[in-house]
Amino acid sequence: MINTSPPELPLALNPPQREAVEHVHGPMLVLAGAGSGKTRVLTTRITTLIERHGVPPDRIFAVTFTNKAAGEMKQRIGRQLGRDPSGLWIGTFHSLSARLLRREAELLGFTRRFTIYDEDDRVSLIRRLMQQRGHSTKMFPPRAVQSLISAAKNRMVPPSELAAGSPFDRLAVVAADVYAALGPALKAANAMDFDDLMLHPLTLFREHADRLRAYQQRFGFILVDEFQDTNKAQYQLIRLLGAHGNVCAVGDDDQSIYGWRGADVRNMQDFLTDFPGAKLVRLEENYRSTQIVLDAANGVIAENTGRIGKTLTTRRRGGETVTLLAAADERDEAEWVVRELERRSAAGEWRYAEMAVLYRTNAQSRALEEAFRRAGIPYRLIGAISFYERREVKDLLAYLRLIANPSDDEAFLRAVGVPRRGLGDTSLSILGQMATQWSKPLLATARAAPGITELRPNVREAFRTFAGFIDGLAEQAGGLAPADVLEHVIRGIDYEAVLHAEGPEGADRWENVRELVASAADWSEEVSDDPEPGTPLERFLAEAALLSSAETVVGSEDGVTLMTLHTAKGLEWPVVVLTGLEHGLFPLARAEEQPDGLEEERRLCYVGLTRAKDKLYLTWARARRRGGELRPGMPSRFLKGLPPDIVEERRTTSLWAPDWSGGQAGRRGEGQGAWRGSRRSSYSNVPAPRAAEESQDTPRYVKGERVRHRRFGSGTIRGLSGVGRDLKVSVAFDDEEVGEKQLLVAYAGLEREWESA
């Protein structure tokens, strides 16, 4: 019996937060603005359901979007309760779905030992299917095919509709053909990919109504964090499990930034329709940022249409103005950012660990990393290659997967090549043909290799020996901890010697192997109160497959954080720098070609702005090297949403181009500013320089004149050619290693030597 007496709530909750926590029965949509304390609301709500309303923890199904967030929330709930919330289902959609499917796999034609394929595994399988079906992997890259299939799955589009929707698109036709073969191939391998983890529960509930009723009764309360990032399949799962109506969805339509991987911001609007009578609670008080930061964010996001609507406010009035920097190019931009952060740190205002530099694309990190290294300033790069994506780790995990699931052909193909056993493509192709002919997995076919006369005797023996090695480990694995199974594999293939034979890089890889064994040992130390079905090895592999690459860190914990805007979601720092605010880069050029693409890019900008607590820097460059060539840049259209009175414009000393604002850089509120542009312009709201202005501002040089380049140093002009923006100079630099170079004046950032003295 659920206790309906009023809960005793923390005094720290503001009225809207308290309203969200006090609500018990019936649907509720919590519109939670950035920094508005939604995690406190979610954890307090779960604690209140358990402690004050008598809801058993195992009747609560709580979804978060990262494993890290799930772990932190569970710890907070445990602290609030004063005990572990035993039985509580809390995790990502994928981890909770995998947990459910382990219990129900047989009803879908799988065993509970199924493997979860990551993107590399799926691409490898797709490549094999394409080759089997006669599709060119050069003309139609397997990763492009995989991307189309994944997008279709996220939208719950079947293969027939994928082909019918684009009958003249050869890539779509090929993808549809492979898509149709992919499901049976995965089932034959007793494997699921990430998209299947969302689709198979829907199939289960559609085909087995009794299982749906059982889970609806078990999970009497559903909570979903980051609801704006749900895709169609995830929303359908919530609708099915939450048919009783006790669903609390928490999200922010202004922070929906994952449309490219299937997220649909319309789910928030649909929730209000699909759950009649749903309570709508707005959390609009921001506890993170100054009012100036929020004014910047509110101004930018106001340009979007179709929002449910909210305006962030804070009690932190005032704050530092927003600094908007115009730089010459990406190197100039990076050097200015590094100098500025070094200056603020040296002044004792903020530590490096309290600063972050955010960018739209991973490629932008190169210039920044170089600048930080040259200056000797510590930094850490977030979202670098995941530990579990490293070659040596994937090699060993392939062995473990094959031991746990003998039908996993992708694991077989990876493991059989490590170490080299004299098995080339021809031998593997023959084995694959026989596996198809016999309708057996590759491992079972390898056991029977002595009977395959098309193979050379030494190859037959190599396959038979490998299969025997795997079978021997599989017999022992059921009762062993994952770390022990790993040790048997490592010794059995003498992997240490294999890696050390690669030289210094191999030694580093060996350290990663030891770390993998340590992580497996650590995993065994944690005892779950509600263990998954299957052996410890199977459970370890399931968790390893679901770890996010964005949760990896490379570099100094005490350094400046570098990461993409997508990775920064949910985080905060006192000082934030948003770089590369140029048309074509942010927003990306392709965004304007897609429905709602520009609005999602603007939401991404809003996410970046609201990461800052105290100080916000925005930077753009007049030129940037992209795709191997130097391209001119114009200020992002997003900058025009900034209130002029909160912006301080700055320019680097090497900025050569005309000042489009018609005013002196660095003064607040003077003119429109280059970043604000003309309201009448239809192209990025940025006017092009007038011919008269361009001719007046174009640098004039003469042969024999001394100039200085910030990278190449001093030199003498030997020749000139072209006019206006196409003016080129040949400069013989004093540094003999640099020699003579031809430079485009508009982008070279040259200074007369007397000007730079």
Side-chain angles (χ1 to χ4, degrees):
M1 185 70 179
I2 294 178
N3 177 16
T4 57
S5 61
E8 296 175 13
L9 300 177
L11 296 176
L13 296 175
N14 66 33
Q17 290 174 334
R18 184 174 293 268
E19 183 181 4
V21 170
E22 285 181 337
H23 180 80
V24 180
H25 294 288
M28 175 172 62
L29 177 64
V30 179
L31 194 62
S36 62
K38 71 179 177 65
T39 302
R40 172 186 290 177
V41 168
L42 280 165
T43 54
T44 306
R45 177 172 170 78
I46 292 173
T47 302
T48 302
L49 287 173
I50 296 170
E51 189 77 356
R52 302 301 176 188
H53 296 290
V55 179
D58 63 1
R59 292 204 63 206
I60 298 174
F61 186 93
V63 186
T64 64
F65 263 75
T66 67
N67 296 298
K68 182 179 179 182
E72 290 174 350
M73 284 183 63
K74 189 172 183 180
Q75 288 179 358
R76 289 177 67 165
I77 292 166
R79 287 196 299 269
Q80 290 177 11
L81 288 172
R83 65 182 188 279
D84 186 63
S86 179
L88 173 67
W89 278 44
I90 184 168
T92 65
F93 269 109
H94 291 95
S95 65
L96 294 179
S97 292
R99 189 173 178 178
L100 184 152
L101 289 168
R102 291 285 174 199
R103 289 161 165 75
E104 313 292 345
E106 286 85 353
L107 294 176
L108 294 169
F110 296 85
T111 76
R112 293 184 177 185
R113 304 173 72 181
F114 68 80
T115 299
I116 300 173
Y117 275 9
D118 65 13
E119 185 174 339
D120 285 346
D121 297 323
R122 180 163 58 177
V123 169
S124 178
L125 176 57
I126 285 172
R127 179 179 288 106
R128 285 201 296 121
L129 291 174
M130 290 178 68
Q131 292 167 344
Q132 291 172 9
R133 304 174 79 80
H135 299 305
S136 169
T137 55
K138 289 186 177 179
M139 188 177 299
F140 307 106
R143 285 197 183 275
V145 172
Q146 185 271 141
S147 180
L148 279 180
I149 293 173
S150 181
K153 283 187 171 185
N154 283 327
R155 300 194 311 272
M156 300 177 65
V157 174
S160 57
E161 289 185 24
L162 177 59
S166 306
F168 303 109
D169 183 343
R170 283 289 297 150
L171 180 62
V173 171
V174 169
D177 180 53
V178 176
Y179 183 9
L182 182 61
L186 284 165
K187 185 167 287 189
N190 193 31
M192 302 180 189
D193 63 25
F194 278 5
D195 299 325
D196 291 334
L197 293 179
M198 300 316 310
L199 294 174
H200 285 327
L202 300 180
T203 302
L204 172 73
F205 294 150
R206 184 173 62 250
E207 297 177 353
H208 302 276
D210 60 319
R211 302 314 301 145
L212 173 59
R213 286 193 297 273
Y215 282 104
Q216 287 172 336
Q217 291 169 5
R218 170 163 186 177
F219 299 122
F221 292 86
I222 312 288
L223 297 93
V224 187
D225 192 12
E226 306 288 3
F227 189 69
Q228 76 281 349
D229 292 327
T230 53
N231 62 32
K232 186 174 182 180
Q234 290 164 344
Y235 183 46
Q236 290 301 320
L237 180 62
I238 293 303
R239 287 190 66 188
L240 287 172
L241 288 177
H244 45 62
N246 294 331
V247 180
C248 172
V250 181
D252 182 359
D253 55 343
D254 289 335
Q255 295 190 71
S256 179
I257 59 174
Y258 294 111
W260 49 276
R261 69 181 188 196
D264 191 344
V265 68
R266 292 172 297 185
N267 288 345
M268 294 196 69
Q269 293 276 9
D270 291 344
F271 183 91
L272 297 172
T273 304
D274 295 335
F275 290 89
K279 176 189 282 288
L280 176 61
V281 178
R282 288 180 171 86
L283 304 183
E284 297 177 296
E285 183 173 352
N286 177 284
Y287 292 93
R288 173 188 301 157
S289 308
T290 66
Q291 188 62 53
I292 282 182
V293 170
L294 295 186
D295 287 344
N298 288 333
V300 169
I301 199 63
E303 302 280 335
N304 272 6
T305 60
R307 303 165 60 219
I308 296 176
K310 68 180 181 312
T311 301
L312 294 181
T313 61
T314 181
R315 299 178 190 181
R316 297 189 62 199
R317 298 300 173 190
E320 280 204 29
T321 54
V322 176
T323 298
L324 176 64
L325 174 80
D329 58 15
E330 76 277 7
R331 182 173 173 133
D332 187 38
E333 174 188 57
E335 290 174 350
W336 187 93
V337 168
V338 169
R339 286 195 304 270
E340 178 67 8
L341 297 186
E342 184 178 31
R343 181 182 70 82
R344 302 305 295 258
S345 175
E349 296 171 282
W350 293 287
R351 294 177 293 109
Y352 287 132
E354 297 177 306
M355 304 172 177
V357 182
L358 311 179
Y359 34 84
R360 178 63 183 85
T361 65
N362 274 306
Q364 291 168 252
S365 72
R366 181 190 58 80
L368 290 161
E369 286 189 78
E370 289 177 358
F372 276 104
R373 282 199 296 268
R374 283 195 300 270
I377 293 176
Y379 69 93
R380 59 179 189 157
L381 188 65
I382 310 293
I385 184 169
S386 166
F387 176 78
Y388 286 93
E389 292 296 319
R390 291 169 181 160
R391 188 194 81 199
E392 60 279 10
V393 173
K394 288 180 76 73
D395 287 346
L396 292 175
L397 289 180
Y399 271 93
L400 298 189
R401 284 168 44 193
L402 190 57
I403 291 166
N405 177 13
S407 298
D408 190 340
D409 285 352
E410 296 309 313
F412 176 94
L413 289 170
R414 183 161 194 133
V416 79
V418 180
R420 296 184 182 280
R421 296 179 168 88
L423 302 173
D425 291 343
T426 301
S427 301
L428 289 169
S429 177
I430 293 171
L431 189 77
Q433 290 168 14
M434 297 308 299
T436 302
Q437 184 177 323
W438 294 345
S439 299
K440 288 185 175 181
L442 290 173
L443 181 62
T445 308
R447 290 192 198 106
I452 304 175
T453 56
E454 292 89 343
L455 295 173
R456 297 193 311 274
N458 64 315
V459 171
R460 290 181 224 158
E461 179 60 21
F463 277 131
R464 188 197 65 78
T465 301
F466 175 74
F469 176 62
I470 297 298
D471 290 341
L473 288 172
E475 290 178 8
Q476 306 174 52
L480 293 177
D484 294 330
V485 182
L486 264 174
E487 294 281 12
H488 282 296
V489 171
I490 292 166
R491 286 196 298 270
I493 64 175
D494 199 9
Y495 201 38
E496 182 176 7
V498 171
L499 291 177
H500 280 301
E502 298 179 6
E505 183 180 342
D508 291 340
R509 292 188 184 280
W510 175 246
E511 289 304 312
N512 289 332
V513 169
R514 302 313 306 163
E515 181 62 28
L516 176 63
V517 175
S519 71
D522 289 344
W523 179 88
S524 297
E525 291 177 3
E526 297 184 16
V527 180
S528 172
D529 56 272
D530 187 14
E532 301 298 306
T535 66
L537 178 60
E538 292 162 7
R539 299 202 303 273
F540 170 73
L541 287 170
E543 287 198 21
L546 294 168
L547 287 175
S548 168
S549 63
E551 294 171 12
T552 61
V553 180
V554 176
S556 170
E557 289 291 332
D558 297 323
V560 178
T561 299
L562 308 182
M563 64 167 61
T564 64
L565 283 151
H566 279 101
T567 310
K569 189 167 177 292
L571 304 176
E572 61 182 45
W573 298 268
V575 181
V576 169
V577 186
L578 265 65
T579 62
L581 278 156
E582 296 132 41
H583 177 72
L585 179 58
F586 194 24
L588 290 175
R590 66 173 180 266
E592 300 193 48
E593 302 169 3
Q594 303 165 348
D596 303 322
L598 186 59
E599 295 225 339
E600 178 157 324
E601 289 284 296
R602 188 176 281 110
R603 292 195 292 268
L604 185 57
C605 183
Y606 174 82
V607 166
L609 296 172
T610 53
R611 298 312 93 197
K613 297 168 68 174
D614 303 321
K615 175 63 182 180
L616 185 61
Y617 291 94
L618 310 176
T619 70
W620 68 281
R622 300 274 178 151
R624 189 176 297 272
R625 288 161 187 81
R626 298 178 63 197
E629 60 184 57
L630 192 66
R631 302 181 187 179
M634 294 191 298
S636 169
R637 64 167 65 208
F638 297 155
L639 296 175
K640 76 183 181 70
L642 298 172
D645 59 329
I646 67 169
V647 177
E648 172 201 10
E649 290 188 71
R650 302 277 294 278
R651 292 166 56 160
T652 61
T653 55
S654 55
L655 184 60
W656 68 91
D659 176 10
W660 296 351
S661 67
Q664 184 177 346
R667 292 186 182 175
R668 289 176 50 196
E670 186 174 86
Q672 283 284 304
W675 53 278
R676 180 156 295 278
S678 167
R679 293 286 181 179
R680 294 188 298 274
S681 173
S682 62
Y683 185 62
S684 233
N685 292 302
V686 177
R690 294 191 298 274
E693 293 173 341
E694 184 170 330
S695 64
Q696 289 169 6
D697 287 294
T698 301
R700 294 178 175 84
Y701 295 103
V702 296
K703 189 175 179 180
E705 187 172 8
R706 294 282 295 173
V707 292
R708 182 173 183 81
H709 187 277
R710 58 186 170 75
R711 182 177 177 187
F712 304 133
S714 298
T716 303
I717 294 178
R718 297 299 190 198
L720 301 94
S721 63
V723 294
R725 303 288 289 179
D726 297 322
L727 177 63
K728 299 174 185 174
V729 292
S730 294
V731 182
F733 288 98
D734 299 343
D735 187 335
E736 292 182 0
E737 292 186 7
V738 175
E740 187 166 326
K741 292 188 177 295
Q742 189 174 62
L743 306 171
L744 197 60
V745 171
Y747 304 120
L750 292 175
E751 297 175 342
R752 290 181 173 83
E753 196 153 76
W754 57 267
E755 289 177 341
S756 58

